[in-house]
Amino acid sequence: MEPDSSGLERFRRLVRRDGFAFAGADEVDPLLDALGGLEDWADFAASWDRLEPDRYLIATGRRRRRRHAVFAWDEAGPRNEGTGLRRLPPQPHFQTTVHNPLQGGIERWFAPMEEVAVGSSFHTLARLGASVFEALDGRASTPWFIEAHQFRIEAAPGQAGEPTPEGMHRDGVDYVLVAMIARHNIERGTTSIHAPDRTTLGSFTLTRPRDIALVDDHRVLHGVTAVTPRDPAAAAHRDVLVLTYRRRPSA
């Protein structure tokens, strides 16, 4: 089934005009169904229960778990489950201190994403991002380099969880897709988008599985407010998938 081009075009128009777009699951799900489907969603979402502690934040007391993987996307290249997505050998995540003053300037090695986490649901979400960003970029002959980050932000009484401990920031890429996977016993977690001069351009809260945000990383900054437990006696966490897209030279 072909995706509704009007839905994809709305996302492109918003990102082109504003530098970002937010879409709820009711709008996103039909597109995902058409782009490849979500047959393994339950197993995909369950993989967040097996993320590893982010050891680079342990010293600061922040509560975050994550896994990481890197991919190439070339629509004209080898296919994997109907897409041009190819998993690449593990490599570190690196950001400059300009983009991440808290943890920039170092190579960070994270536990790799499990194979169960890179099945049809993952491929479909990656294809959604590529389908939107390809039309905005104008360099279709150059493959995308995609970094995938599984994040679980944990919160406890008296210790809020920080989705973006580095503060308002850019990621140092071309485009970003953020997909909500699950919220459990969580309050807050509002995403805000800002112009380079820090003027607020918009805000929204990802609340339902497959609510998404699409961001032009060259034009805007983004950040997420800390999350707190709704019920202090119960476990609390916020699970998201972050996909970053940047162009890379052809091999």
Side-chain angles (χ1 to χ4, degrees):
M1 181 171 61
E2 291 298 317
D4 178 1
S5 60
S6 64
L8 292 174
E9 186 53 40
R10 190 184 87 83
F11 297 162
R12 296 167 186 146
R13 184 174 66 254
L14 289 172
V15 176
R16 189 181 289 116
R17 185 190 71 188
D18 301 329
F20 72 98
F22 163 74
D26 52 351
E27 183 178 6
V28 173
D29 281 353
L31 292 173
L32 295 177
D33 288 341
L35 287 167
L38 303 166
E39 291 83 1
D40 66 347
W41 181 265
D43 290 337
F44 174 61
S47 71
W48 265 257
D49 292 335
R50 298 185 295 276
L51 302 190
E52 297 289 335
D54 182 345
R55 62 187 179 87
Y56 297 94
L57 282 176
I58 288 175
T60 60
R62 294 176 168 94
R63 302 163 64 87
R64 181 163 74 182
R65 297 178 180 272
R66 68 192 296 178
R67 287 183 182 268
H68 173 255
V70 291
F71 301 84
W73 174 282
D74 183 352
E75 195 62 71
R79 293 297 193 267
N80 187 351
E81 294 197 14
T83 73
L85 192 69
R86 293 180 288 117
R87 188 166 185 169
L88 302 175
Q91 54 189 274
H93 177 53
F94 181 85
Q95 292 173 294
T96 68
T97 54
V98 171
H99 294 117
N100 189 335
L102 179 65
Q103 296 180 301
I106 60 172
E107 292 187 345
R108 287 182 284 163
W109 288 91
F110 299 108
M113 289 177 65
E114 299 174 331
E115 286 305 313
V116 71
V118 293
S120 63
S121 294
F122 176 84
H123 282 72
T124 299
L125 285 163
R127 190 175 188 185
L128 174 63
S131 297
V132 173
F133 302 142
E134 195 78 31
L136 303 176
D137 182 81
R139 290 179 288 170
S141 61
T142 305
W144 292 108
F145 176 77
I146 299 175
E147 288 196 62
H149 306 264
Q150 291 178 285
F151 287 106
R152 169 166 286 183
I153 307 302
E154 299 172 323
Q159 190 173 25
E162 297 178 87
T164 54
E166 65 272 40
M168 199 62 56
H169 68 285
R170 291 191 177 101
D171 286 339
V173 296
D174 292 322
Y175 299 97
V176 182
L177 181 151
V178 182
M180 173 57 62
I181 306 301
R183 289 169 61 104
H184 177 71
N185 189 34
I186 282 292
E187 299 280 8
R188 304 175 64 199
T190 296
T191 299
S192 59
I193 306 293
H194 295 251
D197 64 0
R198 303 283 171 153
T199 300
T200 301
L201 301 176
S203 64
F204 47 85
T205 304
L206 305 175
T207 59
R208 297 172 295 172
R210 297 178 300 282
D211 284 358
I212 66 165
L214 302 160
V215 176
D216 183 337
D217 196 53
H218 292 289
R219 293 174 54 196
V220 301
L221 296 84
H222 63 280
V224 183
T225 61
V227 295
T228 56
R230 180 179 297 116
D231 176 0
H237 61 256
R238 177 183 187 266
D239 295 349
V240 298
L241 175 72
V242 176
L243 301 177
T244 65
Y245 295 71
R246 64 179 172 85
R247 291 298 191 179
R248 56 181 256 155
S250 300

